[in-house]
Amino acid sequence: MSARVSGPGAGPAPGPRQPAPGDPRAARTRAKLRRALFDECAERPLEEVTIATLVRRAGVGRATFYVHYGDLEALAVDACADVVREAVDALHAWRGRPDPASPPPALLDFLAGLAPHTGLYRTLLRPGGGGPLGLVLHEDLRARSLHERTLAGGPEPALIASAVAATFAGVLADWLHGLVEGDSDLIAHQIWRLLVTLHRTPLE
């Protein structure tokens, strides 16, 4: 067997082998890491969580962590991805003509269910809707809103989709950070009225 060539011109050494898409073992490992992160963040802020304590809780090696994630923030955003999907689905869980006074039950349930991990969400979703989770939420919600409004034949679908995404992400973030007051039921009703108003606002 020939020795591996190293030195100038040899090129970088290969990094860890990435898991194949759909690999069930990789999915189980990521699930362990996500659960461990939520458990750690229930006890301390994300800023105080270390990869060493996380992998110990998850029962995986440090090298295994880096096969799946570049850093803790990447894991945290992945762990919270379900929150983004739930938010997007909740805002579109209606058919027919929306009633401004009656938000979809899915939206009420979504906001009420955020409480267990609000500390983690506040770290990733900053005031105004920024932060890594805010960017994902804005992108996914804008894409879904654009698709739905285009199908419905509404005017200025791109403009309204941007407004819907920015409004929801911004209000949600400010509520989580205590800048907007009210319980989850009140906020759901207020957000819903804002979004229905955006869809119905004359643009000419």
Side-chain angles (χ1 to χ4, degrees):
M1 180 181 296
S2 60
R4 183 181 299 275
V5 177
S6 61
R17 183 177 63 84
Q18 295 298 311
D23 183 344
R25 294 172 300 177
R28 287 193 295 270
T29 298
R30 286 192 290 269
K32 287 181 180 178
L33 290 167
R34 289 193 295 266
R35 283 195 301 271
L37 180 73
F38 281 129
D39 290 343
E40 285 289 320
C41 288
E43 301 172 1
R44 58 185 59 83
L46 178 62
E47 294 85 353
E48 297 179 9
V49 176
T50 66
I51 292 176
T53 58
L54 182 76
V55 297
R56 186 161 54 247
R57 186 185 283 266
V60 303
R62 191 182 184 95
T64 299
F65 174 91
Y66 286 110
V67 168
H68 298 278
Y69 300 105
D71 53 28
L72 279 174
E73 185 176 279
L75 167 60
V77 172
D78 183 47
C80 295
D82 285 343
V83 173
V84 171
R85 286 190 286 269
E86 289 170 13
V88 173
D89 289 343
L91 287 175
H92 293 86
W94 57 273
R95 290 293 179 267
R97 188 175 179 82
D99 179 0
S102 300
L107 179 58
L108 294 165
D109 292 343
F110 166 73
L111 291 173
L114 293 178
H117 305 299
T118 52
L120 178 58
Y121 301 146
R122 280 195 294 265
T123 300
L124 300 173
L125 182 60
R126 294 169 193 144
L133 188 62
L135 295 176
V136 175
L137 176 59
H138 187 281
E139 180 180 349
D140 287 7
L141 182 54
R142 186 185 185 281
R144 178 73 170 272
S145 297
L146 177 61
H147 175 73
E148 296 284 346
R149 190 169 177 87
T150 300
L151 283 180
E156 301 290 349
L159 174 66
I160 296 301
S162 291
V164 165
T167 297
F168 181 76
V171 173
L172 176 63
D174 286 358
W175 177 59
L176 289 173
H177 284 273
L179 301 176
V180 175
E181 296 183 355
D183 61 18
S184 62
D185 184 81
L186 174 63
I187 296 301
H189 280 80
Q190 291 177 334
I191 287 177
W192 183 245
R193 285 195 292 271
L194 285 172
L195 298 185
V196 171
T197 299
L198 281 173
H199 278 285
R200 293 181 177 177
T201 298
L203 297 173
E204 295 180 355

